[in-house]
Structures are given as C-alpha cells and as structure tokens.
Amino acid sequence: MALDTIDRSVPPIFRQGLSATSKLVMLGLLSILLMAADHRFKISQPIRSGISLVLAPLEWLSLQPGRTFQAVTQYFGDLNQAQDAAQVFQSRAIAQAQRLQQVEQLTQENAQLRQLLDLRAEVAGPSKAVQVLYDTADPYTDRVVVDRGQLAGILAGSAVINAAGVVGQVTRVYPLVSEVTLLTDREQTIPVMNARTGSRHVAYGGSTVAGSLDLKFVPAGTDMQQGDLLTTSGIDGVYPPGLHVGRISRIDRRVDSSFARVQATPVSVQRGRHLLVLMPVKDWPAKPEPLAETQRATGTKGKAKSPAAAASSPGATP
C-alpha cells in the first residue's frame, strides 16, 4: 500500500479545546472589553507608569550618543564663530589704532603747518613750503630730499627753516626734487652771532659729537657761556638775520691753546615732514668798489677831503 494513501489526520478521540476560529472570536471580544474598560476605568495607567519608570534609564542611555554628537558639533561650530568674531574684532581694532595714529600724525603736521604759516608771515621775501620725502643713502652725510625742485622754482643755496629755526641749505636741485644739507653735515658751515654779546663766529657741522656744531677759532678769552643763543648774522647773504641756529652746550678753554673748543646743539633738529625754503635775496646792495679804482675813475689822488676841510680851504666858496 502506498504511503500517500495513509490518513495523517488526528483521530477524533485525541481532539481537545476550541477551534482556531472560536479562539480568534473570543480573543477579539476580550480585547474589545479590555480597551473599553481601560478607556473607562484607566486600569492600565499604573502599568504604563511602572513600565515607563523601568525603561527610563534605557531611554536616556539610548539618547546619549545623539546628544553627544550634537553637543560636539555645536561646540566646534561655536568655536569657529568665536574665532571668526575675534579675528573681525582684532582687524577692527588694528584699523582703529591705525586711524588713531594717522589722526595724531595729522594733528602734529597741522600744528607744524600752522607754525610755518605764522613764520612765513614774519619772514621777509618769497618762500616755498616743501615736504621731506626721505633721507639720502649716504651714511656719512646728513641730507634729506624734499618734494620740490627746479619746476617749482627752488634754487640752489636757498635757506631751509622750520618753526624752531634753521634746518640747513639747499645744495642740489633736480627738476622734481631737491637735496637739503642739514647743519650737522660735515661740509656745512653757517655764520652765527651770539645773541647775548653780539660776537660773530662760524659754526661747522660734522662734530665729533653726533648732532652738534663746532665753533672754531674762538679766542679763549671770548665772553661766552653755556646756554647762549646763536642766531644767523645775515652777513653771508643766504640766511636772513635773527634766525635761531643753536645753543652753546660745551666750552673747553685750555691753558696750552689760545683758542677754546666750543660746541653747540642745534635748536632746530630736522623733525616733521614740512619745511620752509627761503628764496635767495636778489636785491642786496652792490659791493663797494676798491679805493684805487674809484680814484682812477674820478681822476683824483690821495684821500678825499671831508666837507668841513673843503669849506675851510683857501678859495672855497661858502
């Protein structure tokens, strides 16, 4: 007999319980009853609260990775924003400091320009305001380059001053710029006069002490004191008389020498960028002719008689 013809169903004597359909219907009705009772009497609320209390640590632990990642991301984002803000504030602070320095510089230049304008009104003769561009490259000279030259009417030999006094002299003139030699240069000389005593001397630059002037060939017995003011004498025809040059800082009178070593400190140290160039005076009186040439031109010999002598001589008409 074939195996597939064998009946494999459970014998009726072994069947127990309800059928699957009955169970489904009964469980469905029980579910509906429980839901209605829970909705009406809230019988599952304590159960839910207990389960929620038990599961709370697990829920907190499961949320930590996401919260940690979010916190780290926010930290680095805030750090970048703080760094950007700090950089912006630092740039603004540097810009404001630069503007403040420029304002201070402009204020000082404005004050210097006002002093130059006042000095320009006091100085007789034409003058031109110039601006210092840079120092010359030669380390053995004290010279600066200004921003005006031949095209602006600057002439070689012009005196250069500022509000404090004499700065130097224009020594080289180019079409657009000029070269100014300061008083402290070793090749620069200037005739000066002691404002207290009226004695005249010549000040030389290039002293052994940096930034000072030397008064050479000063007799040891000359009335001179430390602090005496030296001004331009005006006898050279370059510097107008009365401009401040320096003050005597050291007097060394030696017994074995007939001349004293005198040093002076310039009162007008080249500072600032604005200077005033005084044009050379062209209307100086002509030099007197020698006596011999005058006599040959007039055809007379000997000394000229005074009017009183001529009036007292014989044959003179009253």
Side-chain angles (χ1 to χ4, degrees), residues 31-260:
S31 300
I32 294 172
L33 180 62
L34 291 175
M35 286 188 293
D38 182 59
H39 179 71
R40 180 69 176 174
F41 301 106
K42 307 294 182 180
I43 59 177
S44 63
Q45 187 65 29
I47 301 174
R48 292 178 179 176
S49 299
I51 295 174
S52 176
L53 184 61
V54 173
L55 296 179
L58 298 177
E59 182 180 2
W60 177 84
L61 186 61
S62 63
L63 293 176
Q64 293 310 306
R67 292 179 178 176
T68 303
F69 177 77
Q70 184 179 2
V72 172
T73 304
Q74 185 177 1
Y75 170 77
F76 285 105
D78 295 342
L79 180 61
N80 293 332
Q81 292 180 359
Q83 290 177 350
D84 295 339
Q87 186 175 3
V88 171
F89 290 148
Q90 186 176 5
S91 301
R92 291 181 180 177
I94 294 175
Q96 292 178 356
Q98 182 179 2
R99 292 178 182 176
L100 180 60
Q101 294 174 1
Q102 291 176 351
V103 169
E104 293 179 354
Q105 182 179 2
L106 291 176
T107 303
Q108 295 177 359
E109 291 183 357
N110 189 15
Q112 293 176 2
L113 288 175
R114 289 179 180 274
Q115 293 175 355
L116 286 178
L117 289 176
D118 296 338
L119 181 63
R120 188 173 185 176
E122 297 176 359
V123 175
S127 59
K128 294 183 180 295
V130 296
Q131 182 175 346
V132 178
L133 297 178
Y134 53 87
D135 295 341
T136 56
D138 189 357
Y140 300 102
T141 59
D142 290 338
R143 300 177 183 178
V144 294
V145 177
V146 297
D147 62 344
R148 291 193 177 186
Q150 293 177 350
L151 299 180
I154 303 298
L155 301 177
S158 301
V160 181
I161 64 174
N162 62 8
V166 180
V167 175
Q169 185 179 11
V170 177
T171 53
R172 292 182 182 179
V173 181
Y174 302 98
L176 298 179
V177 297
S178 300
E179 191 174 283
V180 177
T181 302
L182 305 182
L183 291 179
T184 54
D185 188 84
R186 60 183 178 180
E187 297 181 358
Q188 190 70 7
T189 59
I190 179 173
V192 296
M193 182 180 67
N194 192 328
R196 184 178 61 86
T197 62
S199 60
R200 292 186 175 91
H201 310 279
V202 178
Y204 295 82
S207 171
T208 54
V209 179
S212 63
L213 303 174
D214 284 340
L215 272 65
K216 298 182 180 180
F217 309 111
V218 178
T222 303
D223 183 10
M224 187 173 293
Q225 300 176 3
Q226 291 186 0
D228 284 351
L229 177 64
L230 301 177
T231 62
T232 53
S233 60
I235 62 175
D236 57 347
V238 177
Y239 299 97
L243 298 178
H244 292 188
V245 177
R247 290 188 179 274
I248 297 177
S249 59
R250 180 182 177 184
I251 303 175
D252 186 8
R253 292 185 173 91
R254 296 185 177 182
V255 180
D256 57 347
S257 177
S258 59
F259 297 104

Side-chain angles (χ1 to χ4, degrees), residues 5-47:
T5 59
I6 298 176
D7 188 8
R8 297 180 180 273
S9 61
V10 179
I13 60 175
F14 295 103
R15 292 179 181 176
Q16 297 179 358
L18 299 175
S19 61
T21 303
S22 300
K23 293 179 180 179
L24 177 61
V25 172
M26 291 180 63
L27 292 175
L29 293 174
L30 181 60
S31 300
I32 294 172
L33 180 62
L34 291 175
M35 286 188 293
D38 182 59
H39 179 71
R40 180 69 176 174
F41 301 106
K42 307 294 182 180
I43 59 177
S44 63
Q45 187 65 29
I47 301 174

